Amino acid sequence: RWRAGANKNTTISFSHDVSIDGKNVKAGTYGLFLAVEKGGNCTWILSKNSSSWGSYYYDPKEDVLRAPSALQDAPYTEYLTYGFDNREATTTTAYLQWENKRVPLKIDVPNINELYVNIIRDELRSTIGFDYNNIRAAAQFCVLNNINLEEALVWADAAINPPLGQEEFATLQTKASVLRALKRDAEAEGVMSKAINHPTASVQAIHQYGRTLLNDGKKEKAMEVFKLNRQRNPDDKFTTYVGLARGYAALGDTKNAVKNWEVAIKNIPEDQKPNLALYEAELKKLKGGGA
């Protein structure tokens, strides 16, 4: 049995509960040992004893976990090396590597999103919570992961309202997304109506909301948004016309769709020219349809 390192016990520490080989391991620091068999199979051992010298005081009664692992071939490493690979949000693989052999230990983190929410909740009670953008980001995280939505709505409101919040397109949009995740669609639409009419709503922000409505099959509502964008931003000769073109096309009004695509392409800005072929293809497809 190896102590998996020289002199004092090699240890492994977890800041939060994890799962190894399907077994729960509580947060804490553990002595790390490795049992090596002649056939090449190994067993990782996590022990309650993390402060002894070597393996002289190892006692199987203090085992917290035993996890089988297969000895693997690896590129030559002169020194005993520990590392992590396959790093993902919910899992990673720790490994011991020495000479041309490697022994992996897969570590999983269950309920990772709940863990993040607990950290976020704690951090929002510090100075981080005095920036409404951080509060908004917390609500957005919950929406993206469909978790903790009721509290996310509280955070979304805090990001909008005084004393810390700021009513603007971004914060209103976040509240709408929380309401939508809660299946409160009518309220969400009301908040988004306020958002797109807010002075902070940019041409692109309004356009993207219209595109979202199109993707959701809400053609008439999307057309209203594209028309509003054109009305609010008369100096924009590209994005607003692209929106109208897409809206008319979705409604089956090919003539007006072609008309607006032609205006948009004629006024295409420099940063959109790499996409010119795509826009021309859209126009060609419409004209081929009998415009």
Side-chain angles (χ1 to χ4, degrees), residues 111-169:
N111 304 319
I112 187 65
N113 288 333
E114 291 180 14
L115 174 62
Y116 283 145
V117 166
N118 289 335
I119 293 172
I120 289 169
R121 187 181 294 118
D122 189 54
E123 288 186 342
L124 287 180
R125 296 187 296 181
S126 69
T127 55
I128 288 175
F130 287 91
D131 184 337
Y132 73 92
N133 286 307
N134 294 329
I135 305 173
R136 179 173 68 88
Q140 287 177 317
F141 176 86
C142 295
V143 172
L144 288 172
N145 294 282
N146 196 32
I147 188 174
N148 196 49
L149 295 175
E150 292 293 345
E151 188 171 20
L153 185 57
V154 174
W155 289 338
D157 278 326
I160 293 172
N161 300 319
L164 298 177
Q166 180 70 50
E167 184 180 282
E168 59 187 27
F169 177 85

Side-chain angles (χ1 to χ4, degrees), residues 165-201:
Q166 180 70 50
E167 184 180 282
E168 59 187 27
F169 177 85
T171 52
L172 290 167
Q173 184 183 45
T174 295
K175 180 175 180 178
S177 67
V178 177
L179 289 168
R180 198 172 296 112
L182 287 166
K183 310 300 183 186
R184 293 161 61 174
D185 291 349
E187 291 175 74
E189 284 196 13
V191 174
M192 277 308 301
S193 178
K194 186 175 184 179
I196 60 177
N197 283 283
H198 198 275
T200 60

Side-chain angles (χ1 to χ4, degrees), residues 14 16-20 23-27 30 46 64-65:
F14 305 109
H16 300 85
D17 296 354
V18 298
S19 175
I20 299 175
K23 303 178 184 72
N24 293 328
V25 178
K26 294 292 184 181
Y30 301 93
L46 272 64
V64 173
L65 172 132

Side-chain angles (χ1 to χ4, degrees), residues 70-101:
L71 196 62
Q72 300 174 346
D73 292 331
Y76 180 80
T77 305
E78 183 174 357
Y79 300 104
L80 178 68
T81 301
Y82 281 98
F84 295 88
D85 58 16
N86 303 321
R87 299 187 185 195
E88 298 178 15
T90 61
T91 186
T92 189
T93 300
Y95 63 84
L96 176 156
Q97 192 166 311
W98 196 8
E99 290 195 339
N100 58 356
K101 295 298 179 182

Side-chain angles (χ1 to χ4, degrees), residues 6 13 31 44 54-55 58 61 92 94 97 136 157 159 164 186 203 217 243 257 267 288:
S13 298
W44 283 107
S55 58
Y58 168 77
K61 292 179 182 177
T92 189
Q97 192 166 311
R136 179 173 68 88
D157 278 326
L164 298 177
V203 173
N267 294 284

Side-chain angles (χ1 to χ4, degrees), residues 130-289:
F130 287 91
D131 184 337
Y132 73 92
N133 286 307
N134 294 329
I135 305 173
R136 179 173 68 88
Q140 287 177 317
F141 176 86
C142 295
V143 172
L144 288 172
N145 294 282
N146 196 32
I147 188 174
N148 196 49
L149 295 175
E150 292 293 345
E151 188 171 20
L153 185 57
V154 174
W155 289 338
D157 278 326
I160 293 172
N161 300 319
L164 298 177
Q166 180 70 50
E167 184 180 282
E168 59 187 27
F169 177 85
T171 52
L172 290 167
Q173 184 183 45
T174 295
K175 180 175 180 178
S177 67
V178 177
L179 289 168
R180 198 172 296 112
L182 287 166
K183 310 300 183 186
R184 293 161 61 174
D185 291 349
E187 291 175 74
E189 284 196 13
V191 174
M192 277 308 301
S193 178
K194 186 175 184 179
I196 60 177
N197 283 283
H198 198 275
T200 60
S202 68
V203 173
Q204 198 61 37
I206 298 171
H207 179 75
Q208 287 304 320
Y209 177 52
R211 292 291 303 272
T212 299
L213 290 169
L214 275 186
N215 291 336
D216 291 342
K218 299 176 180 178
K219 302 174 185 179
E220 291 79 8
K221 182 65 178 177
M223 194 70 229
E224 291 177 16
V225 171
F226 292 136
K227 287 181 177 179
L228 172 67
N229 207 14
R230 180 77 202 117
Q231 179 184 347
R232 282 196 52 181
N233 300 283
D235 294 334
D236 182 274
K237 304 298 184 184
F238 178 72
T239 300
T240 56
Y241 284 106
V242 171
L244 290 173
R246 294 192 185 283
Y248 281 122
L251 292 171
D253 187 342
T254 305
K255 181 178 179 180
N256 276 314
V258 167
K259 178 182 175 181
N260 282 280
W261 266 123
E262 287 177 339
V263 175
I265 290 172
K266 180 181 178 181
N267 294 284
I268 189 168
E270 199 65 34
D271 65 346
Q272 285 294 319
K273 285 185 178 178
N275 299 318
L276 178 59
L278 296 175
Y279 299 138
E280 289 176 335
E282 296 256 13
L283 177 59
K284 184 178 180 180
K285 183 168 65 174
L286 286 167
K287 286 184 172 179

